[in-house]
Amino acid sequence: MPHSLPLITTLATAFGLALVLGVLAARLKLPALVGYLLAGIMLGPFTPGFVADAQLGHELAEIGVMLLMFGVGLHFSLDDLLAVRKIALPGAVLQIAVATALGAGIAAAWGWSLGGALVFGLALSVASTVVLLRTLEAHGILDSMNGRIAVGWLVVEDLAMVLVLVLLPPLAGALGGDAPDAGAGSLWGTLALTLLKVSAFIALMLVGGRRLFPKLLWLVAGTGSRELFTLCVVAAAVSIAYGAAELFGVSFALGAFFAGMVLRESEFSHRAAEESLPLREAFAVLFFVSVGMLFDPRVLVEQPLQVLAVISIIVVGKSIAAAALVLLLRYPLNTALIVSASLAQIGEFSFILAGLGVSLGLLPVEGQSLILAGALISIALNPVVFKASEPLQAWLRSRSKLARQLERPADPLAELPMSTHERYLSGQVVLVGYGRVGRRIARALAECDIPYVVAERNRELVERLRADGGAAVSGDAADPAVLIQAHIARASMLVVAIPDTLDARQMIATARTLNPTIETVLRTHNEEEAELLEREAAGKVFLGENELANGMTRHVLERYGKAR
């Protein structure tokens, strides 16, 4: 029997040690991913003992990134992406510029070259796809408006990094690196070619892929074979991601993301997400282990001040910049804190960019070590930072008048126009949330000629509703001022169509303070939360599973002539 089995050895040691340290971290009330990172450090070449195959670990982690982004695409439609373009596009671009300037400035102060400082700053500006998605999923807000904004923001960051990776080699000579300098014509030609490839890939997926891949999934599902269906899902995710990278120069993550988006057109998209979930979870663990394997702990002892500066830029500087940009774009404080906390870490693209910078002679080796240290520590801290965003928001609201003003900036969309008809100001339904559930409720109300006012965080949706003649206000309805602007004091009913139970309780408390007789309706996906809300007399509570069961039961009984 052969004794050289690097793949099996890597998998066995990575999964086994990650399990042990992950459980230990959980027992210590720490995020499990801290254990995964420590497992990688122990398996890496910079600590004594067994050394796993780092190259194999990196490739396996790439598969995890593909599957994870594919799963996100299955839940993130093109409409969702376009709905957040007005905040994600300018916000991501400006945040990259600010973070790059901070990183480049401190690197220049250390005496690095222009090229090294630029690469260092760019590496600190882009967040990790895996970390962000796992954090959003863990808090149950991946499908919320804040979650969509964060994911859309990250997609723009990834597209920007694709351009950076293509343009860096021809610019290396001018920036002080080893590569020959490229002329202006060659540079513009490279940029044009890159944009053309990315545009061609997106067009191909949105035009051809949206028609072909759902039909393929339907065809395979028709065989009745679960293993063939799972194989089709995994093959689509990995093959499209690989083809996108090889043929169009798009990253694996973006390729898999768009693959998931086009497969979402199939009615089997939810099943596809469920079938790929175990693989996504397993390979995501390998991603964190592979990050730990690249980390040299000596940098913490030899350059502690530099490491502290890097962490400050990632966790503090970049977060403040992102939050400020969100507020400047007239989104509420809640959105600003969620987005900034989501982006307060770095990951995959940072490693790729650091490796390319070293190979081109731009980034010193110590710069790569500092980037890895920043990634490791920021990833470990991110769950804590994210968890702290909610109490921080409550503290700011209660203690700071400025924070309350930032929560409700001077915004024409934050209040109903003076020309709003009287029927929307008294006896109306206040509908919080205009997502998939909210849109269906609004459609039914409109068909029955029942006036309603929508309270929605997404400014683009509010603009669209007003353009269509609807009554809507922009903002977080957990803020009493938003419900006041929706004239909750004279409304007949409050319908909360978002699944956030904590915010829903705040909304109900505000509504009943201003309108003690108002009827309230809300939704939840958690049976325990439903029982708690009913005990608190929060109003009529609809549990998703119950309503689905009731609807199916009613249909069956009606077919048998026993309708109740």
Side-chain angles (χ1 to χ4, degrees), residues 89 156 158-167 186-204 247-250 254:
L89 182 58
V156 176
D158 286 355
L159 283 170
M161 288 304 110
V162 168
L163 292 178
V164 170
L165 293 174
V166 172
L167 294 176
S186 174
L187 175 60
W188 286 110
T190 301
L191 178 60
L193 181 61
T194 301
L195 292 174
L196 181 62
K197 285 183 176 181
V198 173
S199 301
F201 169 72
I202 294 176
L204 179 64
L247 300 177
F248 298 96
V250 178
L254 278 177

Side-chain angles (χ1 to χ4, degrees), residues 98-121:
V98 172
T100 300
L102 290 174
I106 197 168
W110 293 337
W112 293 8
S113 66
L114 172 62
L118 181 62
V119 171
F120 186 72

Side-chain angles (χ1 to χ4, degrees), residues 80-424:
D80 292 333
L81 190 58
L82 294 176
V84 298
R85 68 188 185 281
K86 291 185 178 180
I87 180 175
L89 182 58
V93 171
L94 290 173
Q95 181 253 303
I96 288 174
V98 172
T100 300
L102 290 174
I106 197 168
W110 293 337
W112 293 8
S113 66
L114 172 62
L118 181 62
V119 171
F120 186 72
L122 286 168
L124 300 186
S125 70
V126 58
S128 166
T129 300
V130 178
V131 175
L132 181 140
L133 296 178
R134 285 178 69 88
T135 302
L136 294 178
E137 286 180 338
H139 288 79
I141 60 172
L142 181 58
D143 291 328
S144 68
M145 179 50 58
N146 289 339
R148 294 190 188 112
I149 291 173
V151 172
W153 193 298
L154 193 66
V155 169
V156 176
E157 282 191 353
D158 286 355
L159 283 170
M161 288 304 110
V162 168
L163 292 178
V164 170
L165 293 174
V166 172
L167 294 176
L168 196 58
L171 283 173
L175 295 173
D178 298 333
D181 189 8
S186 174
L187 175 60
W188 286 110
T190 301
L191 178 60
L193 181 61
T194 301
L195 292 174
L196 181 62
K197 285 183 176 181
V198 173
S199 301
F201 169 72
I202 294 176
L204 179 64
M205 295 301 293
L206 296 182
V207 177
R210 295 179 80 177
R211 298 180 180 180
L212 174 62
F213 295 119
K215 291 181 179 179
L216 176 63
L217 208 59
W218 173 270
L219 178 65
V220 174
T223 64
S225 172
R226 182 173 182 175
E227 58 266 27
L228 284 177
F229 185 86
T230 303
L231 179 61
C232 179
V233 172
V234 176
V238 177
S239 301
I240 294 173
Y242 178 77
E246 289 295 314
L247 300 177
F248 298 96
V250 178
S251 68
F252 289 137
L254 278 177
F257 175 78
F258 277 99
M261 282 183 61
V262 298
L263 279 177
R264 188 181 187 274
E265 303 299 321
S266 170
E267 63 181 78
F268 292 101
S269 60
H270 292 291
R271 181 182 169 189
E274 292 175 0
E275 296 291 346
S276 62
L277 181 61
L279 285 173
R280 296 204 312 265
E281 294 290 341
F283 281 100
V285 170
L286 289 177
F287 164 76
F288 292 110
V289 174
S290 69
V291 172
M293 291 172 65
L294 297 172
F295 180 61
D296 185 354
R298 289 178 299 180
V299 72
L300 299 175
V301 178
E302 297 173 355
Q303 298 177 299
L305 295 180
Q306 287 89 333
V307 171
L308 183 61
V310 169
I311 297 301
S312 299
I313 292 174
I314 298 171
V315 178
V316 180
K318 194 165 71 164
S319 296
I320 292 176
L325 290 169
V326 172
L327 292 172
L328 285 174
L329 292 170
R330 293 182 172 178
Y331 276 77
L333 182 62
N334 172 267
T335 300
L337 292 177
I338 293 295
V339 171
S340 62
S342 301
L343 301 174
Q345 37 78 20
I346 60 174
E348 311 89 76
F349 270 112
S350 303
F351 310 144
I352 298 171
L353 192 59
L356 180 61
V358 171
S359 66
L360 293 173
L362 292 171
L363 185 70
V365 177
E366 66 174 302
Q368 187 176 32
S369 298
L370 289 172
I371 290 171
L372 290 171
L376 182 73
I377 298 173
S378 66
I379 288 173
L381 289 177
N382 192 246
V384 179
V385 173
F386 199 97
K387 192 173 182 179
S389 63
E390 192 170 296
L392 175 61
Q393 178 187 352
W395 185 85
L396 289 173
R397 279 176 170 173
S398 63
R399 301 293 181 87
S400 172
K401 183 178 179 180
L402 175 61
R404 291 191 292 272
Q405 292 174 344
L406 291 175
E407 181 68 76
R408 298 285 300 164
D411 182 1
L413 296 181
E415 55 187 27
L416 292 175
M418 295 295 293
S419 58
T420 302
H421 195 279
E422 176 65 25
R423 69 194 302 260
Y424 296 105

Side-chain angles (χ1 to χ4, degrees), residues 432-452:
V432 177
Y434 200 71
R436 286 188 288 270
V437 175
R439 282 195 295 269
R440 287 173 169 81
I441 297 174
R443 191 181 306 122
L445 292 173
E447 290 173 354
C448 297
D449 196 30
I450 298 174
Y452 63 91

